[in-house]
Amino acid sequence: MNSPSLGSLIRGDPMLRSMHNVALALYILNERFQTQWKPYLDVLPTHFDTPMYLTLEQLNRLKPSAA
């Protein structure tokens, strides 16, 4: 990690140590503004259409389907 404070935050926080996806999100947010990865990170989508992000109402509409 480029940021010592971010690394110590992740190492010191039990939630961040157990939820690797949240730690990765923090790392990417930090990298987006200050590294060679900025051009790549800038072209990544900002919105995802996956069941993980559906509302309860949308999930209930899927119940009768094979999805």
Side-chain angles (χ1 to χ4, degrees):
M1 268 187 205
N2 291 342
S3 170
S5 60
L6 184 59
S8 60
L9 172 71
I10 291 171
R11 283 189 300 277
D13 187 285
M15 182 183 79
L16 293 175
R17 280 197 324 262
S18 64
M19 298 180 71
H20 302 288
N21 57 336
V22 176
L24 176 61
L26 286 174
Y27 180 73
I28 288 173
L29 284 171
N30 186 58
E31 291 293 298
R32 170 170 245 145
F33 300 107
Q34 50 185 314
T35 70
Q36 67 198 19
W37 291 101
K38 183 180 180 347
Y40 169 74
L41 294 171
D42 285 345
V43 299
L44 293 177
T46 58
H47 178 66
F48 300 94
D49 291 325
T50 67
M52 185 171 144
Y53 301 111
L54 294 179
T55 66
L56 186 56
E57 179 185 336
Q58 291 168 323
L59 288 171
N60 284 331
R61 281 191 252 150
L62 285 176
K63 278 186 180 179
S65 74

